[in-house]
Amino acid sequence: MELGLITDSLGGRPLEDVLDVAAELGLDGVELATGNWSEAPHADLPQLVASAAARTRLADAVASRGLTLSALNANGNQLHPVTGAEHDKVVRDTITVAGEMGVPTVVLMSGLPGARGERTPNWITTSWPPETLEVLEYQWNEVAIPYWTDLAEYARTRGVRLAVEMHGRQLVFNVATMLRLRDAVGEDVVGANLDPSHLMWMGADILAVVQALGSAIFHVHAKDARVERRNADVNGILDTLPPSRAAARSWNYVTLGLGHPGGTGFWGDCVYALRSVGYDGPLNIEHEDVLVSSGEGVRRAAELLQSVLIRDAPDWAPARI
């Protein structure tokens, strides 16, 4: 396995500075966001699409620090009933650039449609009242699967894999929905970007998630979350308060190691579980803790993961399951 950094974690700094930090921390690679929900502070996507020289400059800047570019990130909602086409263009341009640069993976979310005729995405989380299931089947069968079948072929012809981040308020938000999409559109090119933090607050056991996904895990983000029991015990886990109101929320994204009792132990278990299913790709640090500075958060995460990462190949090769 390798350690990396999502450069948006230090989005207020120039790319050169971020690459220097990654190298100084002993990381192996970086992941750059190209647009949509990110302001893409470190990548000019139109320029990267249009100019081979721009792609070469980016590749050289990364390689000169002894780093690799492990993924590009185009998180957005390409299934949005109003703005989806704009997000889809960013996704496809990102796949194009990844193919030209030899970047193996594009990270993205599944997107979320509305109900038929709606202008707002509609996240269905219950089977009642009965019309909710009608909406859900429309979203899957008439919007998502046709779109993703085409997108998978677009990526396949460019030699790029699509790592879908399971996330709340997305059509793909857990293991079952991830496998449904993968089964429908192609296991060779569509897999999971496992960001444990999103599944943590929804109540999933991350070690069980790793075992259930197995070889469907294409990419991993290293981000932590903590359920704030004093609030969740009163209001439940669903929460619409903004991240800035951390003290009042039912759950928060936190610096790696602060989400669980014995945080280092949890991440050691997670790394070992990933090894057990044959995962040998990057673990890319993502910092979104509003109570810890980005510099300190990234450093602490890197130190924790360096202490638990398994770098050398085993004496026998674990099977991908």
Side-chain angles (χ1 to χ4, degrees):
M1 297 182 199
E2 296 183 344
L3 286 186
L5 174 67
I6 301 174
T7 65
D8 270 22
S9 299
L10 300 172
R13 306 187 193 185
L15 176 62
E16 293 75 11
D17 290 356
V18 177
L19 296 177
D20 288 341
V21 168
E24 290 164 6
L25 290 173
L27 304 184
D28 303 293
V30 290
E31 176 180 332
L32 270 65
T34 55
N36 284 336
W37 287 329
S38 169
E39 296 180 358
H42 303 133
D44 185 330
L45 183 59
Q47 188 178 60
L48 291 171
V49 171
S51 170
R55 296 192 293 271
T56 298
R57 286 194 297 273
L58 174 58
D60 288 348
V62 173
S64 67
R65 274 85 170 179
L67 302 169
T68 61
L69 185 54
S70 63
L72 298 177
N73 188 310
N75 278 347
N77 186 2
Q78 62 272 25
L79 302 184
H80 193 293
V82 177
T83 60
E86 299 170 20
H87 285 214
D88 175 60
K89 179 170 176 18
V90 172
V91 167
R92 290 176 191 265
D93 283 351
T94 301
I95 294 169
T96 296
V97 170
E100 291 290 336
M101 296 186 67
V103 177
T105 303
V106 168
V107 177
L108 71 169
M109 294 189 190
S110 65
L112 180 66
R116 192 185 306 275
E118 286 185 349
R119 294 175 57 82
T120 303
N122 190 332
W123 188 29
I124 302 298
T125 58
T126 70
S127 61
W128 188 91
E131 61 267 23
T132 59
L133 293 183
E134 297 175 11
V135 173
L136 193 61
E137 289 310 300
Y138 163 78
Q139 291 177 325
W140 275 101
N141 296 328
E142 298 189 42
V143 182
I145 290 176
Y147 171 85
W148 271 92
T149 299
D150 180 71
L151 187 69
E153 183 59 26
Y154 188 87
R156 186 179 290 113
T157 60
R158 288 156 179 81
V160 175
R161 299 194 309 174
L162 304 177
V164 181
E165 186 165 339
M166 298 166 284
H167 197 292
R169 207 166 188 272
Q170 293 291 296
L171 196 60
V172 171
F173 64 94
N174 62 7
V175 170
T177 50
M178 178 69 249
L179 296 179
R180 180 175 181 176
L181 179 65
R182 181 173 156 87
D183 290 344
V185 305
E187 296 180 354
D188 61 318
V189 70
V190 174
N193 173 53
L194 175 60
D195 182 330
S197 65
H198 306 312
L199 300 170
M200 287 172 184
W201 71 258
M202 286 188 274
D205 181 318
I206 302 306
L207 305 186
V209 167
V210 170
Q211 292 296 323
L213 288 172
S215 61
I217 300 173
F218 282 6
H219 195 70
V220 176
H221 283 173
K223 191 171 73 174
D224 216 336
R226 178 170 60 202
V227 173
E228 310 293 357
R229 292 271 35 129
R230 65 189 182 281
N231 300 324
D233 287 348
V234 174
N235 293 316
I237 207 66
L238 300 179
D239 199 317
T240 59
L241 295 177
S244 59
R245 296 189 59 189
R249 283 172 53 87
S250 292
W251 61 271
N252 289 295
Y253 296 128
V254 295
T255 298
L256 235 64
L258 300 183
H260 308 267
T264 301
F266 167 81
W267 285 98
D269 289 345
C270 187
V271 166
Y272 203 77
L274 288 166
R275 169 62 69 96
S276 77
V277 298
Y279 181 77
D280 60 0
L283 279 70
N284 286 350
I285 295 165
E286 183 175 17
H287 177 79
E288 291 188 5
D289 188 333
V290 299
L291 300 181
V292 177
S293 74
S294 58
E296 180 179 1
V298 167
R299 176 182 56 78
R300 288 173 62 114
E303 291 172 351
L304 187 157
L305 290 175
Q306 293 283 18
S307 73
V308 300
L309 194 71
I310 304 170
R311 289 193 174 274
D312 293 340
D315 296 329
W316 59 276
R320 291 285 267 158
I321 67 170

